[in-house]
């Protein structure tokens, strides 16, 4: 049995969970949270960097969300892989995955960090840069996604697993409703059963996220 050390609120953990649900791979969710000392100790021993998520396959530890998903593509499943076999499509899939992680998730997290930063230590310049970076990403994605059903083409895959949590959180920080193509893509993501499942699982923890306007 696979064991996923994760927290339902974490965007990168959601990314991996979506892939596992898509491929129908059973796994045990090992919650990383205060009060879960045993899980925390096992996690820290297996991955000294202590960055979730972490997948344990028997004694083998696999870290980093994109690598975990690629590793899971090698496991038996009746579902299509999250990284297509076609080399050109696989390259586009990996590229779009990095774009969502680096150019949507990262600036979004910068703004979130500012909202939970201790008082007296503001970083207004960093937040302004992060907002500008998100706006650039939105514009580029709005153009790039035109004519595509999913992030890298016609098939749901790794990049969409990254996009779903990144865009869900980002839209609560810097809305993208004025980008019609991006907004429509986001709506398709939210209608996907695997994505909807992660929303339900994270719902008990929403109060921990600093939504704009408090919710």
């Amino acid at each position: 049995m696979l064991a996923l050390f994760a927290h339902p609120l974490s965007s990168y953990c959601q990314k991996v969970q979506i892939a596992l649900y898509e491929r129908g791979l059973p796994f045990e969710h090992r919650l990383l949270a205060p009060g879960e000392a045993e899980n925390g100790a096992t996690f820290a021993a297996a991955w000294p960097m202590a960055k979730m998520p972490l997948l344990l396959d028997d004694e083998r530890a696999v870290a980093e969300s994109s690598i975990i998903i690629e590793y899971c593509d090698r496991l038996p499943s009746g579902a299509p892989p999250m990284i297509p076999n076609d080399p050109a499509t696989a390259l586009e899939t990996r590229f779009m995955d990095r774009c969502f992680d680096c150019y949507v998730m990262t600036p979004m997290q910068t703004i979130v960090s500012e909202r939970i930063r201790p008082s007296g230590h503001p970083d207004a310049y960093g937040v302004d840069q992060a907002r500008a970076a998100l706006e650039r990403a939105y514009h580029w994605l709005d153009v790039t996604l035109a004519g595509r059903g999913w992030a890298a083409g016609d098939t749901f895959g790794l990049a969409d697993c990254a996009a779903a949590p990144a865009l869900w959180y980002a839209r609560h920080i810097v809305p993208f409703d004025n980008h019609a193509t991006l907004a429509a893509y986001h709506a398709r993501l939210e209608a996907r059963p695997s994505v909807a499942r992660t929303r339900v699982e994270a719902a008990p923890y929403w109060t921990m996220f600093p939504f704009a306007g408090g919710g």
Side-chain angles (χ1 to χ4, degrees), residues 15-185:
K15 174 180 170 179
V16 171
Q17 288 174 264
I18 290 167
L20 290 170
Y21 296 149
E22 286 285 333
R23 303 205 66 242
L25 293 171
F27 67 96
E28 177 188 1
H29 184 203
R30 301 288 297 274
L31 180 64
L32 293 174
E36 301 291 342
E38 182 178 352
N39 289 345
T42 304
F43 169 64
W47 183 223
M49 296 298 102
K51 293 290 185 180
M52 58 181 168
L54 177 76
L55 186 77
L56 281 188
D57 184 4
D58 290 330
E59 297 300 316
R60 181 167 187 173
V62 186
E64 296 297 324
S65 60
S66 297
I67 304 302
I68 293 172
I69 293 172
E70 186 159 1
Y71 176 83
C72 289
D73 269 358
R74 302 178 182 183
L75 303 179
S77 168
M82 293 291 97
I83 300 176
N85 294 322
D86 173 69
T89 310
L91 184 63
E92 182 68 8
T93 297
R94 291 188 178 94
F95 170 68
M96 293 300 292
D97 168 63
R98 302 316 306 136
C99 287
F100 282 110
D101 278 0
C102 297
Y103 306 129
V104 177
M105 195 88 77
T106 296
M108 178 276 295
Q109 290 181 326
T110 296
I111 299 172
V112 168
S113 296
E114 176 66 15
R115 293 184 177 181
I116 62 177
R117 186 190 299 272
S119 60
H121 300 278
D123 182 18
Y125 178 72
V127 168
D128 287 345
Q129 284 190 314
R131 286 182 177 276
L134 273 178
E135 292 288 1
R136 285 196 302 273
Y138 292 166
H139 176 75
W140 180 81
L141 286 166
D142 203 54
V143 173
T144 301
L145 293 172
R148 299 187 184 188
W150 298 108
D154 297 328
T155 304
F156 188 98
L158 166 67
D160 305 291
C161 296
L167 291 175
W168 194 92
Y169 283 115
R171 76 180 179 91
H172 287 93
I173 301 297
V174 179
F176 48 75
D177 296 343
N178 59 326
H179 298 282
T181 299
L182 179 57
Y185 168 65

